[in-house]
Amino acid sequence: MDKELQKYYEDRFTMFTTKGWKDLLVDIEKIKSSIKVEDIPDEKTLFARRGELRIMNWILTLKDVSEQTYKDLDNEDTV
């Protein structure tokens, strides 16, 4: 793995350890749990909520995905 990519992941992993990151995840979980399908008035809003949920899920899984990707990249270098 080149140094620039390694630094990118190291910076990301540092971000994951901050209180701000942890607070953000708590806030996203609260927002996500407050979305109720029965409260969606129309198709346009439904698609908007779907997009919002995708972004929330991406953020909520970013740490795990980043860790796995880093391991995979590191393993490519050792093979």
Side-chain angles (χ1 to χ4, degrees), residues 7-19 21:
K7 174 85 169 99
Y8 170 84
Y9 279 101
E10 288 171 357
D11 289 345
R12 184 173 273 196
F13 297 143
T14 299
M15 176 185 68
F16 294 145
T17 65
T18 66
K19 182 177 180 339
W21 178 257

Side-chain angles (χ1 to χ4, degrees), residues 34-45:
S34 73
I35 296 174
K36 306 291 182 224
V37 175
E38 59 271 10
D39 295 336
I40 298 173
D42 54 44
E43 188 176 300
K44 183 177 178 181
T45 306

Side-chain angles (χ1 to χ4, degrees), residues 1-3 5-7 9-10 13 65-79:
M1 177 179 343
D2 69 35
K3 294 293 181 191
L5 185 57
Q6 183 174 357
K7 174 85 169 99
Y9 279 101
E10 288 171 357
F13 297 143
V65 170
S66 296
E67 289 171 348
Q68 185 59 52
T69 302
Y70 184 83
K71 287 177 188 175
D72 292 346
L73 289 168
D74 195 42
N75 285 339
E76 286 179 7
D77 289 345
T78 59
V79 176

Side-chain angles (χ1 to χ4, degrees), residues 10-69:
E10 288 171 357
D11 289 345
R12 184 173 273 196
F13 297 143
T14 299
M15 176 185 68
F16 294 145
T17 65
T18 66
K19 182 177 180 339
W21 178 257
K22 293 169 186 162
D23 290 344
L24 176 64
L25 295 181
V26 169
D27 290 344
I28 290 172
E29 286 288 359
K30 287 178 185 175
I31 293 166
K32 185 178 170 189
S33 68
S34 73
I35 296 174
K36 306 291 182 224
V37 175
E38 59 271 10
D39 295 336
I40 298 173
D42 54 44
E43 188 176 300
K44 183 177 178 181
T45 306
L46 175 65
F47 286 116
R49 294 293 179 270
R50 182 176 161 195
E52 292 169 358
L53 287 168
R54 283 184 175 176
I55 295 296
M56 287 185 236
N57 286 328
W58 175 76
I59 293 170
L60 292 170
T61 61
L62 185 60
K63 182 177 185 259
D64 293 336
V65 170
S66 296
E67 289 171 348
Q68 185 59 52
T69 302

